Amino acid sequence: MNIREATAKDFEKIWPIFHEIVSLGETYAYSRSTTKNEALKIWLTAPKKTFVFEEDNQILGTYYLKTNQEGAGQHVCNCGYMVSSSARGKGLATAMCKHSQSIALEMGYKAMQFNFVASSNTGAIKLWEKLGFLTVGCLPKAFNHPTQGYIDTLVMYKWLQT
Amino acid sequence: MNIREATAKDFEKIWPIFHEIVSLGETYAYSRSTTKNEALKIWLTAPKKTFVFEEDNQILGTYYLKTNQEGAGQHVCNCGYMVSSSARGKGLATAMCKHSQSIALEMGYKAMQFNFVASSNTGAIKLWEKLGFLTVGCLPKAFNHPTQGYIDTLVMYKWLQT
């Protein structure tokens, strides 16, 4: 297991994971038809940093880290995590989330916020709670789920500094 | 009183209002030293639409409207409003917020979200509540206020469709 910063070269291996997850429309607030070029910008160019979880020369997971709000909010970061369907249930999301919290502190952030967690994504919600995140908001019917329709969306938050 | 869509030409008159408010650092999550060019992008180029409140050939207020999240969240918009200090207390924010709700519905949005309302901004909070917004989240210490330090930030939300 190795989590390392992504390079532009990694995108060929990140794209299948991104596409697999985003095209389902069940978890992320990106268009289900996001193109490869748009994904490159969203996942690798726009964030402050992007990481990959690598094992046996395979990329099995990835996450980005960015500033959630500028100016008065610039001490709070935001992350997004993706795990290949072939590597679920092995603790990759836990490993990446813990890693991201360390990196965030190193980078000078004081807190981490998830802006848009679909309430249907109970596995993720349980995991973030286990890792110390609190549900600090609930946006009514803010997520248009492909099979469940308009469902609530959670805002989750963790103060990282001790 | 006239609220109309802004043109690129209006930016010369929008900038003093933007700069006056943003340089104080008390309400918006933009860098206090945001440049004129950055402001142009933030307020006029990036949003879906921008409006100005005009009276006697003077621009006294302005607001933008954009999609808050893409894909599964694209039915929820976000707005930001600014009123020149010379025109406060005259109901401009109320007029612009009501206007923006009509425009949002016309554009096909179903809800409106304010992501980052400093808890110190009690005037705005009262106003949004009066206009039907609910506080749906509270981000602990997410706003670094220039005199009050780290204070809580509210997420406010209104389902527009009846």
Side-chain angles (χ1 to χ4, degrees):
Chain A
M1 168 194 140
N2 177 31
I3 298 175
R4 62 163 175 83
E5 204 164 345
T7 68
K9 272 189 189 174
D10 293 318
F11 189 68
E12 285 301 320
K13 291 180 179 175
I14 291 173
W15 165 245
I17 303 174
F18 183 100
H19 182 63
E20 175 187 34
I21 291 169
V22 170
S23 63
L24 288 175
E26 293 174 351
T27 48
Y28 273 87
Y30 306 133
S31 163
R32 294 174 70 177
S33 53
T34 300
T35 65
K36 198 171 169 182
N37 265 343
E38 289 165 346
L40 175 67
K41 197 176 162 190
I42 289 169
W43 207 260
L44 265 180
T45 316
K48 285 264 187 206
K49 283 183 188 286
T50 303
F51 291 83
V52 289
F53 184 111
E54 198 172 42
E55 204 174 56
D56 300 332
N57 208 30
Q58 296 285 307
I59 289 177
L60 302 177
T62 177
Y63 79 86
Y64 73 75
L65 187 155
K66 62 184 174 192
T67 304
N68 200 46
Q69 298 278 356
E70 298 299 327
Q74 68 184 0
H75 59 291
V76 183
C77 68
N78 163 252
C79 288
Y81 313 84
M82 290 185 173
V83 176
S84 165
S85 60
S86 65
R88 303 266 162 87
K90 293 172 164 185
L92 268 71
T94 300
M96 290 195 292
C97 185
K98 285 182 176 171
H99 188 269
S100 68
Q101 293 181 45
S102 301
I103 295 284
L105 282 169
E106 271 176 40
M107 291 172 75
Y109 291 106
K110 295 180 191 299
M112 189 180 288
Q113 181 172 330
F114 303 147
N115 298 302
F116 207 69
V117 184
S119 55
S120 56
N121 198 357
T122 50
I125 295 166
K126 269 188 202 165
L127 185 55
W128 306 148
E129 284 172 347
K130 200 172 156 188
L131 293 168
F133 286 79
L134 299 173
T135 296
V136 296
C138 179
L139 313 171
K141 300 189 281 184
F143 196 101
N144 189 8
H145 190 280
T147 58
Q148 298 178 41
Y150 294 110
I151 58 170
D152 296 349
T153 311
L154 306 187
V155 181
M156 301 189 75
Y157 191 92
K158 181 177 181 179
W159 192 261
L160 300 174
Q161 277 206 325
T162 49
Chain B
M1 167 197 141
N2 177 32
I3 299 176
R4 61 162 177 84
E5 204 164 344
T7 69
K9 273 189 185 171
D10 293 320
F11 190 67
E12 285 302 319
K13 291 180 178 174
I14 291 173
W15 165 245
I17 303 174
F18 183 100
H19 182 63
E20 176 188 32
I21 290 169
V22 170
S23 63
L24 288 174
E26 293 174 352
T27 48
Y28 273 87
Y30 307 132
S31 163
R32 294 174 70 178
S33 53
T34 299
T35 65
K36 198 172 169 183
N37 266 343
E38 289 165 344
L40 176 66
K41 198 176 160 189
I42 289 169
W43 206 261
L44 266 180
T45 316
K48 285 266 187 204
K49 284 183 187 284
T50 303
F51 291 82
V52 289
F53 185 111
E54 198 172 40
E55 205 174 56
D56 300 334
N57 208 29
Q58 297 286 307
I59 289 177
L60 302 177
T62 178
Y63 79 85
Y64 73 76
L65 187 155
K66 63 184 174 192
T67 303
N68 199 47
Q69 297 278 356
E70 297 299 328
Q74 68 183 0
H75 59 291
V76 183
C77 67
N78 163 252
C79 287
Y81 312 85
M82 291 187 173
V83 177
S84 164
S85 61
S86 65
R88 303 264 163 88
K90 293 171 164 186
L92 268 70
T94 300
M96 289 195 293
C97 184
K98 285 183 176 172
H99 188 269
S100 68
Q101 292 181 45
S102 300
I103 294 285
L105 282 169
E106 272 176 39
M107 291 171 75
Y109 291 107
K110 295 179 192 299
M112 190 180 286
Q113 182 171 332
F114 302 147
N115 298 303
F116 207 69
V117 183
S119 55
S120 55
N121 197 359
T122 50
I125 294 165
K126 269 188 200 164
L127 185 54
W128 307 148
E129 284 173 347
K130 202 173 155 187
L131 293 168
F133 286 80
L134 299 172
T135 296
V136 295
C138 178
L139 314 169
K141 300 190 279 184
F143 196 101
N144 189 7
H145 190 281
T147 57
Q148 298 178 40
Y150 294 110
I151 58 171
D152 295 349
T153 311
L154 306 187
V155 182
M156 302 187 76
Y157 191 91
K158 181 177 182 179
W159 192 260
L160 300 175
Q161 277 207 325
T162 47

